[in-house]
Amino acid sequence: MKPLGPIPRGYGAVDGVLAVDGIPVTDLIASAGGTPLFVYSTGLIRARLAELRTAMPERLAIHYAMKANPYIPVLRLFSELVDGFDIASGGELAMVREAGIDCTRVSFAGPGKRDEELGEAIRAGVTLNLESENEAERALNIAQAAGISPRLAIRVNPDFDLKGSGMKMGGGAKPFGIDAERVPALARRVIESGAEWRGFHIFAGSQALDAEAIAETQAQTLSLAAKLAEETGVPLPHCNLGGGIGIPYFPGDQPVDITLVGRLLAEQFAKLPPVLADTDFCIELGRYLVGEAGVYLARIVDRKESHGEVFLITDGGLHHQLAASGNFGTVVRRNYPAAIATRFDAEVEEEASIVGCLCTPLDRLADKAGFPRAEPGDVVAIFCAGAYGASASPSAFLGQGPARELLV
Ligand SMILES: *Cc1c(COP(=O)(O)O)cnc(C)c1O
């Protein structure tokens, strides 16, 4: 039998059925109109933010990287909980507007911004994290033509990466940001143009679980920001320290010691050099804020045996939960946390694989794991589905269409 990842804290059972914020998922499925369904918990999102605020120095603002979960009710919830939003496309700009979010709290990173996207963002008062000299010139020209002083920051490609991170976003040749040694010249160009100078954005990696590695990266980020600000010759108004705080997905993963990260960052803040004395700092997080607060629910349509193995075949699959199938940036496939939601407190009785309804062998949500015996009609739950689930899966594949979503 293969192990499953750890079920996040905060989920319980009501009459043997998995419950989210105290409501059995069978009731949630009924109110949403059926499966497959993503359920996101307001209670767990609020608790996560409260925990993070307690751990982090007060000086650190918290931004939500909305690509993790752009569901409009989730954006509206975050608009009262976080200090800012990070977007990565004109489409995401339209979504933050639909959610009624004040665009002056929004920053826009990401390579390949088109002129129309730059224009929309500049007119809305969004801060642009410039990804290249070319993008900087296009933004300045568009702003000048519109008679607007644009809000501009520079995304720095740092010369280090986040150790142990699932996704490296810095260090060496990258399509993201501008190589650190070229940043001061561009920063001076931006400042001399009369733009509103918004400082640096330095993002070194994602999905790290080691508090000390995260703290070390934050310390390196602060010293790089100080060096670049010195070379630019102007105190730094703002610095986005990136993110990187991960969540446990797989067997053996331990949650990040967030209290330690906060304490070590406070120590760094206590000894900042003069160019950073008045800098506003933020971090931008996606999966840490919302990943564990979401669960994906699919109904078992068929139960089959083949060569002695049990397959629980569901109405969901990788078209909604690509990452759980092991096909979104993982090298070795391992099991996400999963359970039979309708028999949530029952004992393990058999080894089974949970698969989706797509005709590809890639469509496997749990591989040879231990579950109570489940039948057609039972509901399976795949946890850690709040981030990079609905928005990062190929829902058009095989004509399946998107899953339902519900914020409880
Ligand atoms: C994706 C991304 C994030 C969020 O990453 P998570 O792992 O979800 O926290 C933050 N900043 C930038 C620039 C990103 O591209």
Side-chain angles (χ1 to χ4, degrees), residues 83-136:
D83 306 300
F85 287 80
D86 292 296
I87 62 171
S89 72
E92 289 190 345
L93 176 56
M95 291 179 201
V96 294
R97 285 182 145 162
E98 187 184 338
I101 289 159
D102 172 4
C103 287
T104 61
R105 298 162 74 198
V106 176
S107 58
F108 183 178
K113 299 183 194 76
R114 285 157 285 192
D115 285 354
E116 307 80 73
E117 295 176 303
L118 292 173
E120 274 294 311
I122 288 168
R123 283 189 294 278
V126 167
T127 294
L128 293 173
N129 293 322
L130 299 168
E131 302 268 353
S132 72
E133 285 92 350
N134 164 298
E135 190 173 286

Side-chain angles (χ1 to χ4, degrees), residues 65 67-68 109 155 169 201 203 206-207 284-287 388:
K67 75 173 188 290
R155 179 163 178 184
M169 305 290 285
H201 171 220
F203 182 79
S206 216
Q207 179 53 20
E284 48 177 9
L285 300 171
R287 79 182 76 232
Y388 307 111

